[in-house]
Amino acid sequence: MEQSEQKLPFTVICGRKEGPSVLISAGVHGAEYVGIQTVMELSRELEAEDISGSLVFLLLANPSAFRNYTRFVVPEDGKNLNRVFPGKRNGTLSERIAYTIVHELQSQADFYIDVHAGDTSEEAMPFVYFTGVAREEVCRASEAMAMAADTAIRAVSTAAAGAYSCACIHKIPSVLMERGGRGMYTREEVELYKRDIRNILIHLKVLPGKERRRMKQKRVDRAVYLEAEQEGFWYPKLKAGGTFSKGVLLGELKDVWGKLLYSCRSEYDGIILYQTVVLGVKEGDPLIAYGMIS
Ligand SMILES: [Zn+2]
């Protein structure tokens, strides 16, 4: 089989003063455009005079999905890039991208911010994941980064194969950020997202100044991730960011004749982190992710 090649565009800014090295990546899921536009703009707006340390911006981690409007996967091999870390040197394209990010970029970084969005079929409330599965000091530093973002929620994650989880396991404090989705982006979302990243960089003392915030942030310790057990028509009942009490109907899956296949009721009082908002789903597609607020 022919090995497909991929060029990964990146920008490096070496600051005028000493400080940590921070990696910021976008487009691990290539059609999560809010994150991609945000990181691209930020890489052009920040100035070396203001920076203590260095910033590496990976502008598009999954360029073929970006061009093709492909959700979840790298089109060349059909794999979810965020589930193949730390990757393989001679693996499929996804595995080689992951390997390159780990060995060429994460290995040089003191901190890492992976900027996502809801995918083309999803809407996400603004929130930040921090790790709960690394060494204690890394978990603490990761949570402190999440707390710097001006989002209403930070959520602990126990995933191990994601880009930022892999960095945390290698002792690099990291976060994953979410906002927006549906294959769209708005000026307001991009501006708010840039402010969140600037806040984290101020917290890390890479940028001068004071963090700017409006939100009082809460922590989600427990989350439910529901997938479709069969294909069908999906009818979510609330919006991402919506809160609810135990037993509330969050969505229904029906067949083409309108027969109810599945009722999704909440297991506890919680908040919708992200959900699928397109009508058609197939077996294994994500339906909804919700969390319990501590
Ligand atoms: Zn994503």
Side-chain angles (χ1 to χ4, degrees):
M1 197 178 86
E2 194 187 316
Q3 288 256 330
S4 40
E5 291 300 321
Q6 195 71 269
K7 289 198 168 90
L8 302 182
F10 66 96
T11 298
V12 180
I13 308 179
C14 295
R16 288 282 156 80
K17 296 179 215 117
E18 293 287 309
S21 173
V22 183
L23 171 64
I24 303 174
S25 63
V28 164
H29 297 126
E32 294 179 354
Y33 297 121
V34 186
I36 293 167
Q37 183 65 20
T38 298
V39 171
M40 191 183 74
E41 289 186 20
L42 203 60
S43 75
R44 298 200 305 242
E45 287 170 6
L46 295 178
E47 304 273 2
E49 294 80 90
D50 298 327
I51 294 169
S52 302
S54 60
L55 294 175
V56 177
F57 298 89
L58 175 57
L59 302 169
L60 281 178
N62 180 357
S64 47
F66 171 78
R67 288 189 296 269
N68 291 304
Y69 193 66
T70 305
R71 64 177 185 158
F72 303 144
V73 299
V74 174
E76 284 84 344
D77 61 15
K79 292 185 179 174
N80 186 330
L81 176 55
N82 210 34
R83 295 192 185 158
V84 300
F85 277 75
K88 291 182 193 153
R89 185 200 291 269
N90 295 309
T92 65
L93 182 60
S94 297
E95 292 161 344
R96 282 182 284 131
I97 291 173
Y99 186 91
T100 302
I101 291 173
V102 170
H103 291 269
E104 303 295 331
L105 299 176
Q106 289 183 356
S107 62
Q108 313 293 320
D110 299 306
F111 300 96
Y112 174 37
I113 303 168
D114 191 22
V115 185
H116 286 243
D119 217 313
T120 55
S121 53
E122 299 170 328
E123 59 172 21
M125 72 168 295
F127 73 101
V128 184
Y129 278 119
F130 62 95
T131 188
V133 292
R135 287 170 174 231
E136 201 192 323
E137 66 270 21
V138 176
C139 292
R140 232 183 293 124
S142 168
E143 184 170 11
M145 290 168 73
M147 288 168 76
D150 188 24
T151 58
I153 292 292
R154 68 181 183 281
V156 67
S157 161
T158 52
Y164 96 100
S165 321
C166 177
C168 287
I169 289 164
H170 292 125
K171 299 184 218 156
I172 304 160
S174 310
V175 291
L176 185 157
M177 306 177 72
E178 296 276 6
R179 184 182 284 274
R182 301 172 183 244
M184 293 158 56
Y185 67 95
T186 65
R187 179 54 24 211
E188 190 194 2
E189 285 173 326
V190 170
E191 294 302 328
L192 290 171
Y193 227 177
K194 284 194 286 192
R195 189 166 82 181
D196 285 335
I197 299 171
R198 283 176 189 270
N199 271 1
I200 296 174
L201 295 175
I202 291 167
H203 161 74
L204 297 174
K205 302 197 162 41
V206 172
L207 288 180
K210 274 190 77 170
E211 294 166 30
R212 291 169 56 206
R213 46 191 330 118
R214 304 166 308 163
M215 299 285 181
K216 199 166 153 16
Q217 197 183 69
K218 290 180 177 161
R219 174 175 156 142
V220 159
D221 273 299
R222 190 176 145 199
V224 169
Y225 299 90
L226 286 174
E227 295 180 347
E229 288 181 4
Q230 55 189 306
E231 68 172 48
F233 290 52
W234 168 242
Y235 300 95
K237 300 295 179 191
L238 302 175
K239 298 252 179 276
T243 55
F244 49 82
S245 46
K246 183 178 173 177
V248 161
L249 183 64
L250 299 178
E252 289 177 325
L253 189 67
K254 296 183 176 177
D255 72 9
V256 69
W257 312 110
K259 188 181 133 213
L260 184 65
L261 302 172
Y262 167 65
S263 281
C264 173
R265 288 189 182 275
S266 57
E267 291 173 24
Y268 43 70
D269 295 3
I271 185 164
I272 297 174
L273 301 174
Y274 60 87
Q275 64 181 355
T276 290
V277 288
V278 293
L279 186 57
V281 296
K282 63 179 184 303
E283 186 186 336
D285 274 351
L287 293 178
I288 189 165
Y290 64 89
M292 181 190 276
I293 298 171
S294 299

